[in-house]
């Protein structure tokens, strides 16, 4: 303290003299000369935290899954299980075989069916599934599986023979995964109106999170030689359709008309329910466009689709990998959530868990999500025991981001038991 008392007055006098001298110097400077003061510290805005988009993780619920969906307890257990595993999309079938898989006023009024799909407890399956999914933060996007396709002996095909399109030799059927089928003419206003009415019914009356169309919202390239379409093409071009169904101009004309219809349908859905998603699940692009007249790349570019799931059901990684880096897939990924659909197994074609994990890892390496076809085969039809597959799925999927507003939930718990067999 003694040193401070000795030097304190001198230090104070020095500071006063320096200040006075500085004032004299500054007073003699021209008024226009800027002062060389240190720059003010830049105001850096606070960093904005941008949440990464949620990885698309979906599963289809097919007609084969009806034993689970129709039982209220098993349906709820299935939704809980899928939520625990980290899924965020459910795609339940609502249009199959020319029938609506929900209490459809549209289908019944048009006399396409005289029965209603309901649960074993008399419940509205679709309504309860949407409610259960929403409670667990999963989007439920009903799937119009058959699109323009129908069984030849369905009430729809029998009542409206004029709505069917045909091949150049007059054939009405083709072979599909569902067997022999006929094709509704996607260019006829009556067909477009039926599909629109069914879709808007699901969106308006059930409040679905969106609608999904797959590779059957299309037309095999051999079709389109019916009188209605022939006259329409002649009106547009002044000539008859080419004899060769692969003719590029003929392919494009038909593909463009399907695109135009889907664009109008998507707008109608968004007008009826803002925020509803248009989900598409086509085959890989070259196959979809050239063989099915489905120009899904254009659907993405024109903003028709809100999410894309490309079906790549390959039995090994060697044939699977090349599809992930395709330019149209990577272009879509820059625009909308994009996933590759993986076959999780079928009754006569089980898929090993290790292969599913390898495909999911390959998807993620390319910035792609995943969707599994289909629910029953996730753990019930695989070569491994169900509990082993459930544990493997939990490990490969990892935790799911909980969307804002999601309620309910059990938190981090051990996996649920699989639903009991039918």
């Amino acid at each position: 303290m003694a040193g401070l008392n000795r030097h304190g007055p001198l230090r104070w006098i020095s500071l006063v003299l320096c200040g006075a001298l500085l004032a004299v110097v500054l007073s003699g400077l021209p008024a226009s000369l800027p002062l060389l003061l240190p720059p003010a510290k830049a105001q850096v805005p606070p960093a904005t935290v941008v949440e990464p988009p949620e990885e698309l993780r979906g599963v289809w619920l097919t007609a084969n899954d009806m034993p689970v969906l129709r039982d209220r307890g098993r349906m709820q257990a299935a939704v809980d299980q899928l939520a625990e595993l980290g899924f965020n999309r459910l795609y339940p079938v609502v249009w199959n075989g020319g029938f609506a898989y929900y209490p459809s006023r549209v289908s019944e009024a048009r006399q396409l069916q005289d029965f209603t799909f309901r649960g074993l407890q008399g419940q509205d399956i679709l309504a309860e599934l949407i409610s259960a999914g929403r409670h667990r933060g999963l989007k439920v996007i009903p799937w119009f599986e058959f699109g323009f396709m129908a069984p030849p002996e369905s009430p729809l095909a029998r009542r409206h023979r004029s709505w069917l399109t045909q091949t150049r030799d007059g054939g009405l059927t083709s072979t599909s995964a569902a067997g022999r089928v006929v094709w509704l003419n996607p260019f006829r206003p009556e067909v477009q109106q039926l599909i629109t009415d069914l879709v808007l019914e699901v969106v308006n009356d059930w409040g679905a999170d969106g609608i999904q169309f797959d590779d059957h919202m299309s037309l095999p390239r051999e079709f389109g030689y019916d009188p209605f379409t022939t006259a329409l093409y002649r009106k547009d071009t002044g000539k008859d359709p080419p004899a060769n169904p692969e003719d590029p101009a003929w392919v494009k004309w038909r593909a463009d008309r399907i695109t135009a219809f889907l664009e109008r349908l998507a707008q109608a859905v968004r007008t009826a329910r803002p925020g509803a998603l248009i989900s598409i699940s086509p085959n890989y692009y070259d196959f979809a466009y050239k063989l099915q007249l489905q120009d899904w790349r254009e659907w993405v570019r024109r903003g028709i689709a809100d999410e894309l799931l490309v079906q790549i059901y390959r039995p090994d990684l060697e044939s699977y990998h090349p599809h992930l880096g395709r330019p149209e897939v990577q272009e879509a990924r820059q625009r909308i959530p994009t996933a590759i659909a993986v076959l999780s197994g079928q009754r006569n074609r089980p898929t090993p868990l290790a292969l599913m994990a390898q495909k999911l890892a390959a998807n993620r390496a390319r910035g792609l999500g995943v969707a599994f076809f289909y629910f029953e085969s996730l753990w019930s039809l695989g070569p491994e025991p169900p509990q082993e597959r459930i544990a493997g799925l939990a490990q490969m999927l990892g935790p799911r981001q909980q969307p804002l507003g999601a309620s309910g939930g059990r938190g981090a718990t051990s996996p649920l038991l699989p639903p009991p067999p039918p």
Side-chain angles (χ1 to χ4, degrees):
M1 295 297 294
L4 178 62
N5 291 336
R6 184 170 56 252
H7 299 292
L10 292 176
R11 182 176 300 170
W12 180 82
I13 293 171
S14 298
L15 292 173
V16 171
L17 290 175
C18 288
L21 180 61
L22 179 62
V24 171
V25 172
L26 292 176
S27 64
L29 293 175
S32 60
L33 188 66
L35 297 180
L36 300 179
L37 300 177
K41 186 176 181 180
Q43 297 297 315
V44 180
T48 302
V49 178
V50 179
E51 292 290 340
E54 188 178 35
E55 180 181 73
L56 199 159
R57 304 174 183 176
V59 62
W60 280 274
L61 299 146
T62 72
N64 291 336
D65 297 308
M66 277 297 151
V68 172
L69 295 178
R70 293 186 66 212
D71 184 272
R72 178 176 282 145
R74 294 179 65 191
M75 182 275 290
Q76 184 63 63
V79 171
D80 288 340
Q81 180 74 84
L82 293 169
E84 293 294 331
L85 289 173
F87 286 89
N88 52 36
R89 296 283 196 282
L90 304 182
Y91 303 109
V93 59
V94 292
W95 176 245
N96 177 290
F99 299 123
Y101 275 43
Y102 60 94
S104 171
R105 291 180 293 101
V106 170
S107 187
E108 293 181 13
R110 292 170 177 260
Q111 299 181 342
L112 302 182
Q113 62 192 84
D114 55 4
F115 61 92
T116 298
F117 278 96
R118 288 191 177 273
L120 298 178
Q121 295 81 27
Q123 74 273 24
D124 181 331
I125 299 171
L126 180 58
E128 293 204 359
L129 182 63
I130 290 174
S131 177
R134 192 161 290 156
H135 186 67
R136 294 305 307 266
L138 284 77
K139 291 188 181 298
V140 179
I141 301 177
W143 165 41
F144 272 68
E145 180 183 6
F146 267 48
F148 295 120
M149 189 173 76
E153 298 307 316
S154 63
L156 174 57
R158 291 200 312 267
R159 287 184 63 85
H160 299 289
R161 303 301 283 184
S162 64
W163 291 9
L164 306 182
T165 186
Q166 64 189 44
T167 61
R168 188 166 181 267
D169 62 3
L172 293 176
T173 64
S174 68
T175 302
S176 73
R180 300 297 293 177
V181 296
V182 295
W183 290 88
L184 301 174
N185 188 338
F187 315 121
R188 289 192 73 104
E190 306 96 325
V191 171
Q192 296 180 0
Q193 192 62 56
L194 171 64
I195 298 297
T196 300
D197 289 347
L198 289 165
V199 167
L200 292 182
E201 179 178 55
V202 170
V203 170
N204 285 327
D205 297 356
W206 276 263
D209 293 306
I211 292 290
Q212 186 184 79
F213 306 112
D214 67 4
D215 52 319
H216 301 135
M217 198 68 160
S218 63
L219 186 67
R221 67 182 178 190
E222 292 78 18
F223 289 82
Y225 290 92
D226 57 275
F228 180 90
T229 306
T230 298
L232 195 61
Y233 184 78
R234 191 182 297 118
K235 178 182 177 182
D236 280 359
T237 66
K239 51 189 176 182
D240 290 334
N244 179 10
E246 301 176 33
D247 180 88
W250 176 223
V251 167
K252 186 176 187 306
W253 183 87
R254 289 173 291 170
D256 286 350
R257 282 192 167 266
I258 292 176
T259 295
F261 166 63
L262 201 68
E263 188 167 41
R264 294 193 299 272
L265 180 57
Q267 183 58 50
V269 168
R270 291 166 179 149
T271 299
R273 184 171 172 78
L277 300 176
I278 303 297
S279 174
I280 60 171
S281 179
N283 276 304
Y284 65 93
Y285 184 71
D286 280 351
F287 186 96
Y289 179 73
K290 294 178 181 177
L291 276 76
Q292 298 178 308
L293 312 179
Q294 202 175 37
D295 191 359
W296 61 255
R297 182 176 62 187
E298 187 67 13
W299 300 359
V300 172
R301 288 177 174 176
R302 289 167 67 163
I304 297 171
D306 296 305
E307 64 177 33
L308 167 68
L309 300 84
V310 186
Q311 298 179 38
I312 307 294
Y313 298 146
R314 297 295 182 270
D316 52 61
L317 287 175
E318 290 72 24
S319 58
Y320 181 81
H321 272 294
H323 292 280
L324 309 187
R326 292 289 307 168
E328 62 273 8
V329 172
Q330 290 300 313
E331 177 186 337
R333 185 180 69 84
Q334 300 299 323
R335 297 171 180 264
I336 57 176
T338 302
I340 302 296
V342 172
L343 187 67
S344 49
Q346 294 174 298
R347 293 184 185 275
N348 59 350
R349 186 181 170 187
T351 301
L353 185 65
L355 181 58
M356 293 164 58
Q358 290 170 337
K359 288 181 176 180
L360 175 55
N363 288 7
R364 284 177 168 164
R366 290 284 191 169
L368 300 165
V370 69
F372 293 103
F373 187 85
Y374 54 102
F375 170 74
E376 184 184 27
S377 64
L378 282 177
W379 52 74
S380 297
L381 301 180
E384 304 86 4
Q387 286 296 349
E388 182 179 333
R389 287 176 73 85
I390 289 173
L393 284 165
Q395 184 175 10
M396 75 172 74
L397 287 170
R400 177 172 64 91
Q401 299 171 355
Q402 185 75 352
L404 294 176
S407 59
R410 298 167 356 117
T413 63
S414 59
L416 301 171
L417 292 175

